Amino acid sequence: MLPVPLTIYLLWSYQDYRDRLLNSISQRLNLDLDEDSIFYKLGSSGLITFSDYIFLLTVLSTSRRHFEIAFRMFDLNGDGDVDCEEFEKVAALIRQQSSIGSRHRDHANTGNTFKGINSALTTYFFGPQLNQKLTIEKFLDFQHQLQKEILSLEFQRKQPDENGRITEADFAELLLAYAGYPAKKKARMLKRVKKTFRDHGVGITKDDYLKFFHFLNNINDVDTALTFYHIAGASIDQPTLRHVARTVAHVDLSPHVINVVFTIFDENMDGQLSNREFVAVMKNRLLRGLEKPKDTGFVKLMYSLIKCARDTKPAILDF
Ligand SMILES: [Ca+2]
Ligand SMILES: [Ca+2]
């Protein structure tokens, strides 16, 4: 099989990955990106393993706050840094719990040694000798860069015009990419967007796009915030969505973006988004196809962290 760039992995859904690449534990990175790119840094570090891939996929769809909690969990001795040994211990624990991890252990028995490979990720985090410490700043910066680069690549694939804008329909396609809708329903939603903005579309900038996905990464906190407003499960109108984005995710979504989002998701056209129309779907999309937590220990872990964080500290108070 030809080497596949890491970026392509991440643009695939989990299902694609599993279908195409389950039998190949690691792939050479093969990238042509500028030196500042996180992929360049990862690529010069060696191999991307399957557990790296699962980890990166999870990193992509986790809010900064939950990522901070995950870091504290990796720090077993509580000294504020994570060393390679701590990282490996937690990673091994995760692999034990995960059915994919178990399958890979089976591979290890048949000669494909899984343990002991210096993966691109461990080398990036801990240096070539694996003796450096990982700080919370480096961990968070890594997440920020990875999210920004992947989202930029996704945006770029829609070929923005000379003003750097993609059409409302392109934006809708990106949003619906991993939402798991039946093809018929997806087509109906896209048709609605095309029709609404056919004659007076103004397009979506990359900044709009990045902001909106930052908002989506906080969708679990948004859901919690709506609980605090005593309107969980109830419908929200455009000003409420804008307000919640500002107070919970700290992003200022433009009225145009919000209008497009309502056009996409307001199935019954009552001017309101119900929980079922929007929040529930977007929580699912966040997982990029990783909807079976039993397959992936790390995702299961993030789920329990998110639940734990929700129980102890309401997002709306998190300023
Ligand atoms: Ca430590
Ligand atoms: Ca509605």
Side-chain angles (χ1 to χ4, degrees):
M1 189 184 300
L2 288 170
V4 182
L6 170 64
T7 44
I8 303 298
Y9 287 162
L10 293 174
L11 295 171
W12 285 347
S13 74
Y14 172 61
Q15 191 62 43
D16 288 340
Y17 184 98
R18 203 164 55 172
D19 291 349
R20 292 185 219 189
L21 285 169
L22 192 61
N23 293 324
S24 100
I25 292 180
S26 60
Q27 293 277 329
R28 250 331 263 166
L29 285 170
N30 175 27
L31 301 171
D32 184 23
L33 295 158
D34 68 66
E35 283 186 31
D36 291 336
S37 166
I38 193 92
F39 298 112
Y40 182 84
K41 290 174 194 158
L42 274 176
S44 60
S45 302
L47 300 165
I48 175 92
T49 63
F50 187 78
S51 55
D52 279 357
Y53 166 76
I54 293 294
F55 181 80
L56 294 173
L57 204 57
T58 313
V59 168
L60 263 184
S61 49
T62 305
S63 75
R64 187 181 166 90
R65 196 167 69 86
H66 292 137
F67 210 57
E68 269 187 78
I69 297 169
F71 182 86
R72 287 204 287 277
M73 195 200 61
F74 278 110
D75 179 17
L76 294 172
N77 67 1
D79 68 351
D81 297 323
V82 171
D83 60 37
C84 190
E85 206 183 316
E86 288 172 327
F87 189 79
E88 286 295 324
K89 268 186 195 157
V90 178
L93 237 150
I94 291 166
R95 275 203 293 274
Q96 270 172 23
Q97 292 187 358
S98 118
S99 58
I100 287 164
S102 319
R103 242 175 284 146
H104 278 229
R105 271 205 312 281
D106 294 341
H107 274 279
N109 293 337
T110 59
N112 252 330
T113 314
F114 192 54
K115 207 186 158 215
I117 293 174
N118 260 11
S119 78
L121 206 59
T122 48
T123 309
Y124 177 77
F125 282 156
F126 305 105
Q129 313 297 322
L130 302 183
N131 56 1
Q132 292 168 20
K133 294 206 169 180
L134 177 62
T135 60
I136 182 90
E137 290 79 21
K138 185 166 179 180
F139 201 50
L140 290 176
D141 182 60
F142 170 76
Q143 183 192 33
H144 177 73
Q145 279 195 53
L146 186 72
Q147 286 183 341
K148 199 174 162 191
E149 281 194 44
I150 281 290
L151 291 173
S152 298
L153 282 164
E154 283 179 340
F155 185 84
Q156 225 54 47
R157 287 210 305 180
K158 291 293 178 192
Q159 296 169 327
D161 66 14
E162 64 278 9
N163 299 315
R165 289 163 187 270
I166 59 172
T167 66
E168 284 78 4
D170 285 337
F171 176 71
E173 270 178 7
L174 287 170
L175 256 181
L176 297 174
Y178 307 97
Y181 284 121
K184 229 178 175 173
K185 182 168 183 182
K186 202 168 136 179
R188 201 168 61 229
M189 296 169 108
L190 280 173
K191 201 174 158 191
R192 202 158 57 222
V193 173
K194 279 180 185 155
K195 197 176 155 204
T196 309
F197 297 99
R198 190 190 295 138
D199 298 323
H200 47 275
V202 295
I204 304 285
T205 65
K206 191 163 108 180
D207 191 47
D208 286 334
Y209 183 70
L210 292 177
K211 276 184 183 163
F212 190 75
F213 276 82
H214 176 78
F215 166 74
L216 281 188
N217 280 343
N218 288 277
I219 196 78
N220 285 294
D221 286 352
V222 168
D223 199 17
T224 310
L226 292 177
T227 311
F228 269 77
Y229 285 120
H230 301 288
I231 51 175
S235 297
I236 47 173
D237 58 11
Q238 296 200 16
T240 305
L241 183 66
R242 192 152 189 232
H243 176 71
V244 169
R246 206 180 276 148
T247 51
V248 178
H250 310 292
V251 286
D252 198 8
L253 299 176
S254 74
H256 178 62
V257 166
I258 289 184
N259 187 22
V260 176
V261 169
F262 270 69
T263 308
I264 300 170
F265 293 102
D266 184 12
E267 275 286 290
N268 64 358
M269 313 260 267
D270 66 349
Q272 310 256 326
L273 291 184
S274 69
N275 185 276
R276 203 171 49 85
E277 279 173 334
F278 183 64
V279 175
V281 181
M282 287 296 107
K283 277 168 89 167
N284 196 37
R285 186 207 186 276
L286 201 54
L287 297 172
R288 290 178 176 247
L290 286 166
E291 61 273 273
K292 293 192 192 77
K294 73 177 166 58
D295 266 4
T296 52
F298 191 76
V299 173
K300 196 158 89 183
L301 204 73
M302 289 312 296
Y303 263 127
S304 47
L305 281 174
I306 287 163
K307 190 179 175 304
C308 183
R310 184 162 45 204
D311 291 347
T312 52
K313 193 179 182 194
I316 194 78
L317 304 173
D318 185 26
F319 286 96

